[in-house]
Coordinates of all heavy atoms in Angstrom, one line a residue:
M10 N -3.9 -1.5 14.9 CA -3.8 -2.7 14.1 C -2.5 -3.3 14.2 O -1.4 -2.6 14.2 CB -4.0 -2.3 12.6 CG -3.9 -3.4 11.6 SD -4.4 -3.0 10.0 CE -3.2 -1.9 9.4
S11 N -2.4 -4.6 14.4 CA -1.1 -5.3 14.6 C -0.6 -5.8 13.3 O -1.4 -6.5 12.5 CB -1.3 -6.4 15.6 OG -0.2 -7.1 15.7
L12 N 0.6 -5.4 12.9 CA 1.1 -5.8 11.6 C 2.1 -7.0 11.7 O 2.8 -7.0 12.8 CB 1.9 -4.7 11.0 CG 1.1 -3.5 10.6 CD1 1.9 -2.4 10.1 CD2 0.0 -3.8 9.6
P13 N 2.2 -7.9 10.8 CA 3.2 -9.0 10.9 C 4.5 -8.3 10.9 O 4.8 -7.3 10.2 CB 2.9 -9.8 9.6 CG 1.5 -9.4 9.2 CD 1.2 -8.0 9.7
P14 N 5.4 -8.8 11.6 CA 6.8 -8.2 11.8 C 7.6 -8.2 10.5 O 8.5 -7.4 10.3 CB 7.5 -8.8 13.0 CG 6.8 -10.1 13.1 CD 5.4 -9.9 12.5
R15 N 7.5 -9.2 9.7 CA 8.4 -9.4 8.5 C 7.5 -9.7 7.3 O 6.4 -10.2 7.4 CB 9.2 -10.6 8.8 CG 10.3 -10.4 9.9 CD 11.1 -11.7 10.0 NE 10.2 -12.6 10.7 CZ 10.1 -13.9 10.4 NH1 10.9 -14.5 9.5 NH2 9.3 -14.7 11.1
P16 N 7.9 -9.2 6.1 CA 7.2 -9.4 4.9 C 7.1 -10.9 4.6 O 6.1 -11.3 4.0 CB 8.1 -8.8 3.8 CG 8.9 -7.8 4.6 CD 9.1 -8.4 6.0
D17 N 7.9 -11.8 5.1 CA 7.7 -13.3 5.0 C 6.3 -13.7 5.5 O 5.8 -14.7 5.0 CB 8.8 -14.1 5.6 CG 10.2 -13.8 5.0 OD1 10.2 -13.3 3.8 OD2 11.2 -14.1 5.6
D18 N 5.9 -13.0 6.6 CA 4.6 -13.4 7.1 C 3.5 -12.9 6.4 O 2.3 -13.3 6.7 CB 4.6 -12.9 8.6 CG 5.6 -13.6 9.5 OD1 6.1 -14.6 9.2 OD2 6.1 -12.9 10.5
D19 N 3.7 -11.9 5.6 CA 2.7 -11.2 4.8 C 3.1 -11.0 3.3 O 3.4 -9.9 3.0 CB 2.3 -9.9 5.5 CG 1.1 -9.2 5.0 OD1 0.3 -9.8 4.2 OD2 1.0 -8.0 5.2
P20 N 3.2 -12.0 2.5 CA 3.7 -11.8 1.2 C 2.8 -11.0 0.4 O 1.6 -10.9 0.5 CB 3.8 -13.3 0.7 CG 2.8 -14.1 1.4 CD 2.7 -13.5 2.8
R21 N 3.4 -10.3 -0.6 CA 2.7 -9.6 -1.6 C 1.8 -10.5 -2.4 O 2.2 -11.5 -2.8 CB 3.7 -8.8 -2.5 CG 3.0 -7.9 -3.5 CD 4.1 -7.4 -4.5 NE 3.5 -6.5 -5.5 CZ 3.5 -5.2 -5.4 NH1 4.2 -4.6 -4.5 NH2 2.9 -4.5 -6.3
P22 N 0.5 -10.1 -2.6 CA -0.4 -10.9 -3.4 C 0.1 -11.1 -4.9 O 0.7 -10.1 -5.4 CB -1.7 -10.2 -3.3 CG -1.6 -9.3 -2.1 CD -0.2 -8.9 -2.0
Q23 N -0.1 -12.2 -5.4 CA 0.3 -12.4 -6.8 C -0.9 -12.3 -7.7 O -2.0 -12.8 -7.3 CB 1.0 -13.8 -6.9 CG 2.2 -13.8 -6.1 CD 3.3 -12.8 -6.6 OE1 3.6 -12.7 -7.8 NE2 3.8 -12.0 -5.6
P24 N -0.8 -11.8 -8.9 CA -1.9 -11.6 -9.8 C -2.3 -13.0 -10.3 O -1.5 -13.9 -10.4 CB -1.5 -10.8 -10.9 CG 0.0 -10.9 -10.9 CD 0.4 -11.2 -9.4
P25 N -3.6 -13.2 -10.7 CA -4.0 -14.5 -11.2 C -3.5 -14.6 -12.6 O -3.1 -13.6 -13.3 CB -5.6 -14.4 -11.2 CG -5.8 -12.9 -11.3 CD -4.7 -12.3 -10.5
V26 N -3.4 -15.8 -13.1 CA -2.9 -16.1 -14.4 C -4.0 -15.9 -15.4 O -5.1 -16.4 -15.3 CB -2.3 -17.5 -14.6 CG1 -1.9 -17.8 -15.9 CG2 -1.2 -17.8 -13.5
C27 N -3.7 -15.0 -16.4 CA -4.8 -14.7 -17.4 C -4.8 -15.9 -18.4 O -3.8 -16.5 -18.8 CB -4.4 -13.5 -18.2 SG -5.6 -13.0 -19.4
P28 N -6.1 -16.4 -18.6 CA -6.3 -17.4 -19.5 C -5.9 -17.1 -21.0 O -6.1 -15.9 -21.3 CB -7.8 -17.8 -19.4 CG -8.4 -16.7 -18.6 CD -7.3 -15.9 -18.0
D29 N -5.5 -18.1 -21.6 CA -5.2 -17.8 -23.1 C -6.5 -17.8 -23.8 O -7.5 -18.4 -23.4 CB -4.3 -18.9 -23.6 CG -2.9 -18.9 -23.1 OD1 -2.4 -17.8 -22.8 OD2 -2.3 -19.9 -23.1
N30 N -6.5 -17.2 -25.1 CA -7.7 -17.3 -25.9 C -8.1 -18.7 -26.2 O -9.3 -19.0 -26.4 CB -7.4 -16.5 -27.2 CG -7.5 -15.0 -27.0 OD1 -8.2 -14.6 -26.0 ND2 -7.0 -14.3 -27.8
D31 N -7.1 -19.7 -26.3 CA -7.4 -21.0 -26.5 C -8.1 -21.7 -25.4 O -8.6 -22.8 -25.5 CB -6.1 -21.7 -26.9 CG -5.5 -21.3 -28.2 OD1 -6.2 -20.7 -29.0 OD2 -4.3 -21.5 -28.4
D32 N -8.0 -21.2 -24.1 CA -8.6 -21.7 -23.0 C -10.2 -21.5 -23.0 O -10.9 -22.2 -22.3 CB -8.1 -21.1 -21.7 CG -6.7 -21.5 -21.5 OD1 -6.2 -22.5 -22.0 OD2 -5.9 -20.7 -20.7
C33 N -10.6 -20.6 -23.8 CA -12.1 -20.3 -23.9 C -12.6 -21.2 -25.1 O -12.1 -21.4 -26.0 CB -12.3 -18.8 -24.3 SG -14.0 -18.3 -24.6
C34 N -13.9 -21.7 -24.8 CA -14.5 -22.6 -25.7 C -15.2 -21.8 -26.9 O -15.7 -22.4 -27.8 CB -15.4 -23.5 -25.1 SG -16.9 -22.8 -24.3
H35 N -15.3 -20.5 -26.7 CA -16.0 -19.5 -27.6 C -17.5 -19.9 -27.8 O -18.0 -19.7 -28.9 CB -15.2 -19.5 -28.9 CG -13.8 -19.0 -28.7 ND1 -13.5 -17.7 -28.4 CD2 -12.7 -19.7 -28.7 CE1 -12.2 -17.7 -28.3 NE2 -11.7 -18.9 -28.5
S36 N -18.1 -20.5 -26.9 CA -19.6 -21.0 -27.1 C -20.5 -20.1 -26.3 O -21.7 -20.4 -26.2 CB -19.8 -22.4 -26.8 OG -19.5 -22.7 -25.4
G37 N -20.0 -19.0 -25.7 CA -20.9 -18.1 -24.9 C -21.2 -18.6 -23.6 O -22.3 -18.3 -23.0
C38 N -20.4 -19.4 -22.9 CA -20.6 -19.9 -21.5 C -20.9 -18.8 -20.6 O -20.4 -17.7 -20.7 CB -19.4 -20.7 -21.0 SG -19.1 -22.1 -22.0
D39 N -21.7 -19.0 -19.6 CA -22.0 -18.0 -18.5 C -21.8 -18.7 -17.2 O -22.7 -19.6 -16.8 CB -23.4 -17.4 -18.7 CG -23.6 -16.3 -17.7 OD1 -22.6 -15.7 -17.3 OD2 -24.8 -16.1 -17.3
P40 N -20.8 -18.5 -16.5 CA -19.7 -17.5 -16.7 C -18.6 -18.1 -17.7 O -18.3 -19.2 -17.6 CB -19.2 -17.2 -15.3 CG -19.3 -18.5 -14.6 CD -20.6 -19.1 -15.2
C41 N -18.1 -17.1 -18.4 CA -17.0 -17.5 -19.3 C -15.7 -17.5 -18.4 O -15.6 -16.9 -17.3 CB -16.8 -16.4 -20.3 SG -15.4 -16.6 -21.4
I42 N -14.7 -18.3 -18.9 CA -13.4 -18.3 -18.1 C -12.8 -16.9 -17.9 O -12.2 -16.6 -17.0 CB -12.4 -19.2 -18.8 CG1 -11.2 -19.6 -17.9 CG2 -12.0 -18.7 -20.2 CD1 -10.4 -20.7 -18.4
F43 N -13.1 -16.0 -18.9 CA -12.6 -14.6 -18.8 C -13.4 -13.8 -17.8 O -12.9 -12.9 -17.1 CB -12.6 -13.9 -20.2 CG -11.6 -14.5 -21.1 CD1 -11.9 -15.3 -22.2 CD2 -10.2 -14.2 -20.8 CE1 -11.0 -15.9 -22.9 CE2 -9.2 -14.7 -21.7 CZ -9.6 -15.6 -22.7
D44 N -14.7 -14.1 -17.6 CA -15.5 -13.5 -16.5 C -14.9 -13.9 -15.2 O -14.8 -13.1 -14.2 CB -17.0 -14.0 -16.6 CG -17.7 -13.5 -17.9 OD1 -17.3 -12.4 -18.4 OD2 -18.6 -14.1 -18.3
L45 N -14.6 -15.2 -15.0 CA -14.1 -15.7 -13.7 C -12.7 -15.0 -13.5 O -12.4 -14.7 -12.4 CB -13.9 -17.2 -13.8 CG -15.2 -18.0 -13.9 CD1 -15.0 -19.5 -14.1 CD2 -16.2 -17.7 -12.8
Y46 N -12.0 -14.9 -14.6 CA -10.6 -14.2 -14.4 C -10.8 -12.7 -13.9 O -10.1 -12.3 -13.0 CB -9.8 -14.2 -15.7 CG -8.6 -13.4 -15.7 CD1 -7.5 -13.7 -15.0 CD2 -8.6 -12.2 -16.4 CE1 -6.4 -12.9 -15.0 CE2 -7.5 -11.3 -16.3 CZ -6.4 -11.7 -15.6 OH -5.3 -10.8 -15.6
D47 N -11.8 -12.0 -14.6 CA -12.1 -10.6 -14.2 C -12.4 -10.6 -12.7 O -11.9 -9.6 -12.1 CB -13.1 -10.0 -15.0 CG -12.7 -9.8 -16.5 OD1 -11.4 -9.8 -16.7 OD2 -13.5 -9.6 -17.4
E48 N -13.3 -11.5 -12.2 CA -13.6 -11.5 -10.8 C -12.4 -11.8 -10.0 O -12.2 -11.1 -8.9 CB -14.7 -12.5 -10.5 CG -16.0 -12.2 -11.1 CD -17.0 -13.3 -11.0 OE1 -16.8 -14.4 -10.3 OE2 -18.2 -13.2 -11.6
E49 N -11.6 -12.7 -10.3 CA -10.4 -13.0 -9.5 C -9.4 -11.9 -9.5 O -8.8 -11.5 -8.5 CB -9.7 -14.3 -10.0 CG -8.7 -14.8 -9.2 CD -8.1 -16.2 -9.7 OE1 -8.8 -16.9 -10.5 OE2 -7.1 -16.5 -9.2
Y50 N -9.3 -11.2 -10.7 CA -8.4 -10.0 -10.8 C -9.0 -8.9 -9.9 O -8.1 -8.2 -9.3 CB -8.3 -9.6 -12.2 CG -7.2 -8.6 -12.4 CD1 -5.8 -9.0 -12.5 CD2 -7.4 -7.3 -12.5 CE1 -4.8 -8.2 -12.7 CE2 -6.3 -6.4 -12.7 CZ -5.1 -6.9 -12.8 OH -4.0 -6.0 -12.9
G51 N -10.2 -8.7 -9.8 CA -10.8 -7.7 -8.9 C -10.4 -8.0 -7.4 O -10.0 -7.1 -6.6
R52 N -10.5 -9.3 -7.0 CA -10.2 -9.7 -5.6 C -8.6 -9.4 -5.4 O -8.2 -9.0 -4.3 CB -10.5 -11.1 -5.4 CG -12.0 -11.3 -5.2 CD -12.4 -12.7 -4.8 NE -12.0 -13.7 -5.7 CZ -12.8 -14.1 -6.7 NH1 -14.0 -13.6 -6.9 NH2 -12.4 -15.1 -7.6
Y53 N -7.8 -9.7 -6.5 CA -6.4 -9.6 -6.4 C -6.1 -8.0 -6.1 O -5.3 -7.6 -5.3 CB -5.7 -10.0 -7.6 CG -4.4 -9.4 -7.9 CD1 -3.2 -9.7 -7.1 CD2 -4.2 -8.4 -8.9 CE1 -2.0 -9.1 -7.4 CE2 -3.0 -7.9 -9.1 CZ -1.9 -8.1 -8.3 OH -0.7 -7.6 -8.6
R54 N -6.7 -7.1 -6.9 CA -6.5 -5.7 -6.8 C -6.8 -5.3 -5.4 O -6.2 -4.4 -4.8 CB -7.4 -4.9 -7.8 CG -6.9 -5.1 -9.3 CD -5.6 -4.6 -9.7 NE -5.6 -3.2 -9.5 CZ -4.5 -2.5 -9.5 NH1 -3.4 -3.0 -9.6 NH2 -4.7 -1.2 -9.3
A55 N -8.0 -5.8 -4.8 CA -8.3 -5.4 -3.5 C -7.3 -5.9 -2.4 O -6.9 -5.2 -1.5 CB -9.7 -5.9 -3.1
A56 N -6.9 -7.1 -2.6 CA -5.9 -7.7 -1.8 C -4.6 -6.9 -1.9 O -3.9 -6.7 -0.8 CB -5.7 -9.1 -2.0
L57 N -4.2 -6.5 -3.1 CA -3.0 -5.8 -3.3 C -3.1 -4.4 -2.6 O -2.1 -4.0 -2.0 CB -2.6 -5.6 -4.8 CG -1.4 -4.9 -5.1 CD1 -0.2 -5.6 -4.6 CD2 -1.3 -4.7 -6.7
A58 N -4.2 -3.7 -2.7 CA -4.3 -2.4 -2.1 C -4.2 -2.5 -0.6 O -3.6 -1.7 0.0 CB -5.6 -1.8 -2.5
A59 N -4.8 -3.5 0.0 CA -4.7 -3.8 1.5 C -3.2 -4.1 1.9 O -2.8 -3.5 2.8 CB -5.7 -4.9 1.9
W60 N -2.6 -4.9 1.1 CA -1.2 -5.2 1.3 C -0.3 -4.0 1.3 O 0.6 -3.8 2.1 CB -0.7 -6.3 0.4 CG 0.7 -6.7 0.6 CD1 1.2 -7.7 1.5 CD2 1.9 -6.1 0.1 NE1 2.6 -7.7 1.6 CE2 3.0 -6.8 0.6 CE3 2.1 -5.1 -0.9 CZ2 4.3 -6.5 0.3 CZ3 3.4 -4.9 -1.3 CH2 4.5 -5.5 -0.6
E61 N -0.5 -3.2 0.2 CA 0.3 -2.0 0.1 C 0.1 -1.0 1.3 O 1.0 -0.3 1.7 CB -0.1 -1.3 -1.3 CG 0.5 -2.0 -2.5 CD 0.1 -1.4 -3.8 OE1 -1.0 -0.7 -3.8 OE2 0.8 -1.7 -4.8
A62 N -1.2 -0.9 1.8 CA -1.4 0.0 2.9 C -0.7 -0.6 4.1 O -0.1 0.1 4.9 CB -2.9 0.0 3.2
R63 N -0.7 -1.9 4.3 CA 0.0 -2.6 5.4 C 1.5 -2.4 5.3 O 2.2 -2.1 6.3 CB -0.3 -4.1 5.5 CG -1.7 -4.4 6.0 CD -1.8 -5.9 6.3 NE -1.4 -6.7 5.3 CZ -2.3 -7.2 4.3 NH1 -3.6 -6.7 4.3 NH2 -1.9 -8.0 3.4
E64 N 2.0 -2.5 4.1 CA 3.5 -2.3 3.8 C 3.9 -0.9 4.1 O 5.0 -0.6 4.6 CB 3.8 -2.7 2.4 CG 5.3 -2.8 2.1 CD 6.1 -3.7 2.9 OE1 5.5 -4.7 3.5 OE2 7.3 -3.5 3.0
A65 N 3.1 0.1 3.7 CA 3.4 1.5 4.0 C 3.4 1.8 5.4 O 4.4 2.5 5.9 CB 2.3 2.4 3.2
E66 N 2.5 1.2 6.2 CA 2.6 1.4 7.6 C 3.7 0.7 8.2 O 4.4 1.2 9.1 CB 1.2 0.8 8.2 CG 1.1 1.2 9.7 CD -0.2 0.8 10.3 OE1 -1.2 0.6 9.5 OE2 -0.2 0.6 11.5
R67 N 4.1 -0.5 7.7 CA 5.3 -1.2 8.2 C 6.5 -0.4 8.0 O 7.4 -0.2 8.8 CB 5.3 -2.6 7.6 CG 6.4 -3.5 8.1 CD 6.4 -4.8 7.4 NE 5.2 -5.6 7.6 CZ 4.4 -5.9 6.6 NH1 4.6 -5.5 5.4 NH2 3.3 -6.6 6.9
Q68 N 6.6 0.2 6.8 CA 7.8 1.1 6.5 C 7.8 2.3 7.3 O 8.9 2.7 7.8 CB 7.7 1.5 5.0 CG 7.9 0.3 4.0 CD 9.3 -0.3 4.1 OE1 10.3 0.4 4.3 NE2 9.3 -1.6 3.9
A69 N 6.7 2.9 7.6 CA 6.6 4.1 8.4 C 7.1 3.7 9.9 O 7.8 4.5 10.5 CB 5.2 4.7 8.4
Q70 N 6.6 2.6 10.3 CA 7.0 2.2 11.7 C 8.5 1.9 11.8 O 9.2 2.2 12.8 CB 6.3 1.0 12.1 CG 4.8 1.2 12.4 CD 4.0 -0.1 12.8 OE1 4.6 -1.2 12.8 NE2 2.8 0.1 13.1
A71 N 9.0 1.3 10.7 CA 10.5 1.1 10.6 C 11.3 2.3 10.7 O 12.4 2.4 11.2 CB 10.8 0.2 9.5
K72 N 10.9 3.4 10.0 CA 11.6 4.7 10.0 C 11.3 5.6 11.2 O 12.1 6.4 11.4 CB 11.2 5.4 8.7 CG 11.6 4.7 7.5 CD 11.2 5.5 6.2 CE 11.7 4.8 4.9 NZ 11.3 5.5 3.8
A73 N 10.3 5.3 11.9 CA 10.0 6.3 13.0 C 10.9 6.0 14.1 O 11.3 4.8 14.4 CB 8.5 6.0 13.5
P74 N 11.4 7.0 14.8 CA 12.3 6.8 16.0 C 11.6 6.1 17.1 O 10.3 6.3 17.3 CB 12.6 8.2 16.4 CG 11.6 9.1 15.8 CD 11.0 8.4 14.6
R75 N 12.3 5.2 17.6 CA 11.6 4.4 18.8 C 11.7 5.2 20.0 O 12.7 5.7 20.4 CB 12.4 3.1 18.9 CG 12.2 2.3 17.8 CD 12.8 0.9 17.9 NE 12.6 0.1 16.7 CZ 13.2 -1.1 16.5 NH1 14.0 -1.6 17.5 NH2 12.9 -1.7 15.4
K76 N 10.6 5.2 20.8 CA 10.5 5.9 22.0 C 10.9 4.9 23.2 O 10.4 3.9 23.3 CB 9.1 6.5 22.3 CG 8.8 7.6 21.3 CD 7.4 8.1 21.6 CE 7.0 9.2 20.6 NZ 5.7 9.6 20.8
H77 N 11.8 5.3 24.0 CA 12.3 4.5 25.1 C 11.6 5.0 26.4 O 11.5 6.3 26.6 CB 13.8 4.6 25.3 CG 14.5 4.1 24.1 ND1 14.6 2.7 23.8 CD2 15.3 4.6 23.1 CE1 15.4 2.5 22.7 NE2 15.7 3.7 22.3
P78 N 11.1 4.1 27.2 CA 10.4 4.6 28.4 C 11.4 5.3 29.3 O 12.6 5.0 29.3 CB 9.9 3.3 29.0 CG 10.7 2.2 28.4 CD 11.2 2.6 27.1
A79 N 11.0 6.3 30.0 CA 11.8 7.0 31.0 C 12.3 6.1 32.0 O 11.6 5.3 32.5 CB 11.0 8.2 31.6
K80 N 13.6 6.3 32.3 CA 14.2 5.4 33.4 C 13.8 6.0 34.8 O 13.9 7.2 35.0 CB 15.7 5.5 33.3 CG 16.2 4.8 32.0 CD 17.7 4.8 32.0 CE 18.2 4.2 30.7 NZ 19.6 4.2 30.6
P81 N 13.4 5.1 35.7 CA 13.1 5.6 37.0 C 14.2 6.1 37.7 O 15.4 5.6 37.5 CB 12.4 4.4 37.7 CG 13.0 3.2 37.0 CD 13.2 3.7 35.6
A82 N 14.1 7.1 38.6 CA 15.3 7.6 39.4 C 15.7 6.6 40.3 O 14.9 5.8 40.9 CB 14.8 8.9 40.0
S83 N 17.0 6.5 40.6 CA 17.5 5.6 41.6 C 17.0 6.1 43.0 O 16.9 7.2 43.2 CB 18.9 5.5 41.5 OG 19.6 6.8 41.9
P84 N 16.9 5.1 43.9 CA 16.4 5.5 45.3 C 17.4 6.4 46.0 O 17.0 7.3 46.7 CB 16.4 4.2 46.0 CG 16.2 3.2 44.9 CD 16.9 3.7 43.7
A85 N 18.7 6.4 45.7 CA 19.7 7.2 46.3 C 19.5 8.7 45.9 O 19.8 9.6 46.5 CB 21.1 6.7 46.1
A86 N 19.0 8.9 44.6 CA 18.9 10.2 44.1 C 17.5 10.8 44.4 O 17.3 12.0 44.2 CB 19.1 10.2 42.5
A87 N 16.6 10.0 45.0 CA 15.4 10.6 45.2 C 15.4 11.5 46.5 O 16.1 11.3 47.4 CB 14.4 9.4 45.6
P88 N 14.6 12.6 46.4 CA 14.6 13.6 47.5 C 14.0 12.9 48.8 O 13.2 12.1 48.7 CB 13.7 14.7 47.0 CG 12.9 14.1 45.9 CD 13.7 13.0 45.3
S89 N 14.7 13.3 49.9 CA 14.2 12.7 51.1 C 13.1 13.5 51.8 O 12.7 13.1 52.9 CB 15.4 12.6 52.1 OG 15.9 13.9 52.4
G90 N 12.7 14.5 51.2 CA 11.5 15.2 51.8 C 11.9 16.1 52.8 O 11.2 16.5 53.7
G91 N 13.2 16.5 53.0 CA 13.7 17.5 53.9 C 14.1 16.8 55.3 O 14.6 17.5 56.1
K92 N 13.8 15.6 55.4 CA 14.1 14.9 56.7 C 15.5 14.3 56.6 O 15.8 13.7 55.6 CB 13.1 13.8 57.0 CG 11.7 14.3 57.2 CD 10.8 13.3 57.5 CE 9.4 13.7 57.6 NZ 8.4 12.7 57.9
P93 N 16.4 14.4 57.6 CA 17.7 13.8 57.5 C 17.6 12.3 57.6 O 16.7 11.7 58.3 CB 18.4 14.4 58.8 CG 17.3 14.9 59.7 CD 16.1 15.2 58.9
S94 N 18.5 11.6 56.9 CA 18.4 10.2 57.0 C 19.2 9.7 58.2 O 20.1 10.3 58.6 CB 19.0 9.6 55.7 OG 20.3 10.0 55.5
R95 N 18.8 8.5 58.6 CA 19.4 8.0 59.9 C 20.3 6.9 59.6 O 20.3 6.1 58.8 CB 18.4 7.5 60.9 CG 17.6 8.7 61.3 CD 16.7 8.3 62.4 NE 15.9 9.4 62.7 CZ 15.0 9.3 63.7 NH1 14.9 8.3 64.5 NH2 14.3 10.4 64.0

């Protein structure tokens, strides 16, 4: 999985704004504004869990020692196979 290199590219999800009691008309609408909020909050929680997993992986990658590829031997140091060079 390829992760964005910086948190700026993958901001932490923000929770939805909870409606005030005055935002509800109290007439039993279906769906009620609070039902919509609950659905949106569920999506937020799922997005937050996914973001936290990506962030944990990003942190683990940042702490892991980087492996450098082995340097090839220089041609002068390479064995000649027992034959004298001319």
Side-chain angles (χ1 to χ4, degrees):
M10 174 168 73
S11 178
L12 296 175
R15 293 175 289 138
D17 294 344
D18 297 336
D19 188 19
R21 181 185 181 104
Q23 296 300 307
V26 176
C27 184
D29 289 331
N30 282 336
D31 294 338
D32 293 336
C33 178
C34 67
H35 304 285
S36 65
C38 296
D39 187 26
C41 174
I42 192 169
F43 290 106
D44 294 333
L45 298 174
Y46 169 76
D47 288 343
E48 290 173 8
E49 190 174 347
Y50 193 79
R52 288 188 295 273
Y53 157 74
R54 295 290 298 164
L57 180 62
W60 181 87
E61 287 173 338
R63 289 190 305 273
E64 186 63 18
E66 186 173 338
R67 190 180 294 114
Q68 294 294 325
Q70 286 178 358
K72 290 180 182 179
R75 294 185 180 170
K76 295 181 182 178
H77 298 285
K80 294 181 181 178
S83 66
S89 62
K92 297 180 183 175
S94 61
R95 296 184 185 186

